[in-house]
Amino acid sequence: MGPSWRKKVVDEHVIPKTLLGEPPPNPADRWSVNLNVHPDCESDHKHHRDHLMKLLQSHTHVPADDWNKADATRFIREFKPEAHKASNGKSLPALRGSLDCVYAAALWTRGMHAALYGRVLPSSVKFVGQTPVPMWQEGKGSPEAYSDMRRRVLGYVCRALDADQFDELRAWGGAVIYQCTWIKRPAARGWLCAWVLEFPGTHTWAMDVTDTDTPWHGCFEVDDLPEGASVCGN
């Protein structure tokens, strides 16, 4: 916040406009979560991943005939569709390169955290994030691990919702919803934040693939509890 700091930042959407869908009818509801960011950070870390997220979430349930050539070419180049052999010997469709897309949701979660608590998470914070559909990194996960993580994170958040011990940010007329709760784990040094994130297309993608309504979800850990954060047990 030094002299002329406003000239060094740009007002950016945390979630890009391309994923927000039609604007709410009431202009007062059209806030889409904006933050001041450094343009180099936007260019180097976020813009590319935003576009990958658009391709993966918005297009994977769209008929092939509806793809434009530019997006189809980019999808093939970035994600490299192939088959993956699961532990039970069955062949599963796989997409290499999808971790960059998954990290977009982590970046947006960082933005939601900053908007909620007025604090920027340190760059050293490690995120664990999962898509609305089963996805894991080859050699570092499995369908069982995905399901266990999903059960734990959504279990924390559902318990927090029942106890009214959660923090929430709603935007774009309720089309964007970020909810989180904080847990003190006895065996851990810091505080665990379990979070869920929904935005246009999330519900459709989850239901089309698994017939189960699952948001983007995950967790991260910090040393200190943000001021005013809601705590849900340990």
Side-chain angles (χ1 to χ4, degrees):
M1 294 296 189
S4 304
W5 69 270
R6 288 193 179 277
K7 296 180 180 179
K8 302 173 185 177
V9 296
V10 291
D11 187 42
E12 278 291 339
H13 296 85
V14 172
I15 295 178
K17 273 189 171 181
T18 53
L19 279 169
L20 293 180
E22 291 296 321
N26 185 352
D29 293 333
R30 293 179 186 176
W31 179 57
S32 55
V33 192
N34 295 52
L35 293 174
N36 290 313
V37 301
H38 194 281
D40 285 352
C41 293
E42 171 73 14
S43 175
D44 295 344
H45 300 292
K46 186 171 179 290
H47 181 73
H48 173 70
R49 295 182 174 98
D50 284 352
H51 199 82
L52 296 187
M53 179 75 86
K54 183 194 80 168
L55 289 174
L56 187 61
Q57 175 160 313
S58 299
H59 286 26
T60 45
H61 58 271
V62 172
D65 291 346
D66 291 343
W67 282 64
N68 65 56
K69 186 175 181 179
D71 279 354
T73 301
R74 182 186 287 263
F75 189 93
I76 296 297
R77 183 178 70 245
E78 298 280 0
F79 291 118
K80 298 182 177 64
E82 59 183 41
H84 168 79
K85 288 291 185 181
S87 57
N88 60 8
K90 292 184 178 180
S91 181
L92 299 173
L95 291 173
R96 288 194 180 275
S98 55
L99 288 184
D100 241 9
C101 172
V102 174
Y103 190 59
L107 289 173
W108 301 349
T109 299
R110 293 178 65 91
M112 298 296 177
H113 178 93
L116 265 179
Y117 304 114
R119 294 175 58 179
V120 177
L121 288 169
S123 58
S124 58
V125 170
K126 297 290 190 286
F127 277 82
V128 177
Q130 294 197 154
T131 58
V133 302
M135 184 183 292
W136 60 94
Q137 185 176 2
E138 187 174 8
K140 294 186 179 180
S142 66
E144 294 77 19
Y146 175 92
S147 297
D148 183 60
M149 177 71 179
R150 175 184 178 277
R151 177 180 59 81
R152 288 174 183 272
V153 171
L154 299 190
Y156 281 138
V157 175
C158 285
R159 188 175 71 186
L161 293 174
D162 287 341
D164 197 25
Q165 291 294 328
F166 67 98
D167 301 327
E168 179 180 77
L169 189 154
R170 287 179 180 260
W172 209 241
V176 174
I177 303 174
Y178 174 77
Q179 295 169 322
C180 67
T181 192
W182 295 82
I183 303 102
K184 181 66 174 178
R185 297 190 297 167
R189 180 182 63 180
W191 291 85
L192 182 77
C193 178
W195 57 268
V196 296
L197 175 64
E198 295 189 55
F199 49 92
T202 299
H203 171 82
T204 303
W205 191 27
M207 295 300 291
D208 280 355
V209 176
T210 65
D211 202 29
T212 302
D213 190 8
T214 303
W216 285 81
H217 57 283
C219 59
F220 60 89
E221 195 168 319
V222 296
D223 292 337
D224 300 312
L225 184 71
E227 184 177 352
S230 297
V231 176
C232 187
N234 54 34

